[in-house]
Amino acid sequence: MNEEKLNYLEAIFLIVIVMITHIILEFPNVIIKDCGTSSFINIIFITILVSLFFIFICKLFSPFGGNNILAISEYVGGKKLKKCTSIIYCSYLLFISSVVIRNFCENLKIVYFPNANLLMLIGAFILTAVIVNKFSSGSIVKANTLLVPLILLTMIVVFVFSIKQASISRFLPILGNGLNKTFLKGILNIYSFGGLIYMYLIISDLKNIQDLKKVGLTSIIFSASYLLLSVSSLLTLFPFLVKGSNVLSVYLSTRTIRLGKFLPRIDTIFMFIWIFNFLLYLSIIIYYVKKIATETFSVKNKSSLLYFTAFIIFVASLLVQNSLQTYFLENTVYKYFALLVVFIYSPAILIIGYVKKNKELKKAKVEI
Amino acid sequence: MNLFKKFASNVSSDNTNQYLFELGTLNNISDNSPSDKLKNQQVYSNIDVNLEYVNSRFNTLINSDVIIREFTINVKAKEFKAFIIYIDGMVDKNSINDFILKPLMLKNRANQYTGDEVISQAVANNIMVRKIKKFNVIDYVSDNLLPQNDVKKVNSFDKIAQDVSSGNCILFIDTVDFCFDIDVKKFDTRSIAEPKNEPVIMGSQEAFVENLRTNTSMIRRNLCNENLVIESLTVGKSDKCQCAVCYIKNVANSDLVAEVKYRLNNLDVEYLNGIGELKELIKDDMYSSIPEIMPTERLDTSINYILQGRVCVLYNGSPYALIMPVTLLDFLSTPEDYNLNHVFSNLLKVIRGISYFITLLLPGLYIAITTYHGELIPTELLFSIVSSRSTVPFMVIVEILLMEISFEIIREAGLRVPSPLGSTVGIVGALVLGQAAVEADIVSPILIIIIAITGITSFSIPDYTFSFHLRASRFIYILLGFFAGFLGIGIGLFIYLVNLCSLKSFGISYLSPYAPLSKVNNASYFVKPAWKRENRDEFLKPKEIKEQNHISMKWRK
């Protein structure tokens, strides 16, 4: 990522992979629990809000050229704020990655490997992410660009094949749990676009900074479509009671697919896609934690940092006692953490930086 | 213990009466190799010194095929001592007799004339002014007495040694501090034949041979373009084997050509065993088993790649050319693809793509499904597999490794035995042993089907080196499938994909044109119709992106 700048498509898919990973795990279930049958309206609503928010963010980034949030933090509050921002970002990424990997491995154990040791499963994923990070950083981006279309296509395939079992009447009542839950309390579901945190970081890696708005909006649309498809599948396929299940939300949809006698359980094949998805997610997070730490704390030994990051994720993922705690961490703690970091803290820094920059520019004009 | 010692002492005492031969240790070995003192030596003006040096350097006392012929040159009624050196069997003897020795040794009238050569003369006021060319023995020999088309003046003994070894004749003349390097090569070589390892139905039936000049001439003959450049380089310090770097000057990227030459020129090796070793020494990733340079024996394949802007390296003594840079998709293409209708070509490409995955994954998937993911296949099929395995005493991993290794042994044996016996080995190995193994309940019949399909699909991969890579990698997926089912295979595939993404062949991404995404022209996975093959691929960064102007079929109008 340092070696070669990200082009338009690579940047989009880098953000999309982070967002759809959460969609595969929990988001559709959580949104359906909150809003009921009006979930798809809620998704459209939050998508519009996030898009507007992102346009605002792009405006804030405009006077800083190709600087990312860390550089802007330094500009706003010196090295102390930069370090503070780096620690917040690293904690956020490490926290969410350890929760996500724990959650996914637990699901994997329940569904496919009941006899497997959870420690081994988590270890296998983290070890793979470490190995992959040993290759050139650009290769993860390239692999991501090749795999994300496949992952997106899978959701369409799931949707198309499960349409036979779908019942449109399950969309009703159209306003689900009411206007209040759909539009007011539902605003908090904006956290499902927490993957936008990478937008604050990748701006310095973009080949063409002018693409930032396009990259952000396209990735929001891709992720929203994916979320919409998965929510629609869940809504139309299952009666309301099943929708509260804590198992992988996309997995539930794939279980309904029947392709004749020869492939009675096609969902097993989708496991490959999910494995790729989570490995990409983990590799990218480890890469970015490594990058933030190197940029801020001038770490010379990158290999040690890589092992240290992987070790922290591994240990943190094992600290969780049971799946109920994982569920709580992912849907409550992460929700507010994401809202705080992505939608409050980072924009606040940008706003201060924007005001400061504008004042400086005005001063410079007056002096001229 | 004592008994053993006694036996050992008996054995050793017996040996004392036998004829013993041991290779000397490194310290005892005298340094017979051409020392550094001999290297970079210039030709002396004294012919006796030169003769002594040549005798020493070429070991003429023990080398029976190195011929030195001493004689006297008659030039303008003067006599000069001279000698020629060549290797018997590598030169055209008639040429040496008729066009080197005869003119130099025979006393003819022109040679007897002692006067200076008058270039021009003029008379003014009864005074004659003559412009005279001063007699120079070197110019005279070179211009008048050596009726050869390729004569060079050489003064380095290193160059002399190299050229004598390649079949040239060297002429030394007394008082001259250089010598004449005369090209009189003539040796028997294999004639141009059909490609044995890369056969096609439609397409050229000419393959490269071991002789470098024959190969370069074949390329010249088939690629009539004045911009085609064939540069010569030598590789190896003691062997000094000749290589030829072929490219089209106004198409191939200059940096690419420079990089190829840089790598070839900076190989610090004594000698090379063949083009395979050269390939390994100049590729980007030293530890990867994935081929990053394509060897081909086909002339049309090489020409096609040269026209696209790639570089082809020929190596004297090898009937293979090396193509660089290459991408993964090149290893799944054949020259046939461009000769067939694009619909058929694309069908073949899809089949090859399926074969690629089957070769790599099928045995691993079989293990994963039978061990972890039985739910994926129909219950009836699962029962059938389980019942067929019920009498087999081994674990599925042992069973599959046993068969895979047996298959590889049969394949290796089929290659090594004399060709008339090859089919027999195949029949005995595949049919008789396979059937016997099933009947003896050593392996299950379904496994035989899996191994057979995997084996056959590996043959549909066009490139031998790439097929080898897949065959070797297959074992990793077998182990991963056994230890972690689809999870293991998924992890293996992911690492494999990222590894492929990290690979580069002479600066070109291995997964071009798809990762990073660039404009897809000829190198796309699917073959374009003939009338759409107008542009070269952008990822090669050729000097001219347009391969040909708009292809129009005027006759249609």
Side-chain angles (χ1 to χ4, degrees), chain A residues 95-116:
Chain A
F95 165 74
I96 191 58
S97 59
S98 52
V99 172
V100 162
I101 200 70
R102 170 69 187 241
N103 193 357
F104 180 66
C105 287
E106 268 180 5
N107 279 304
L108 212 59
K109 183 177 158 66
I110 293 165
V111 181
Y112 298 110
F113 301 98
N115 300 323

Side-chain angles (χ1 to χ4, degrees), chain A residues 202-217:
Chain A
I202 65 165
I203 185 164
S204 54
D205 294 332
L206 281 178
K207 234 179 218 172
N208 187 2
I209 301 154
Q210 313 302 323
D211 283 344
L212 181 68
K213 199 185 273 182
K214 269 198 285 179
V215 167
L217 291 177

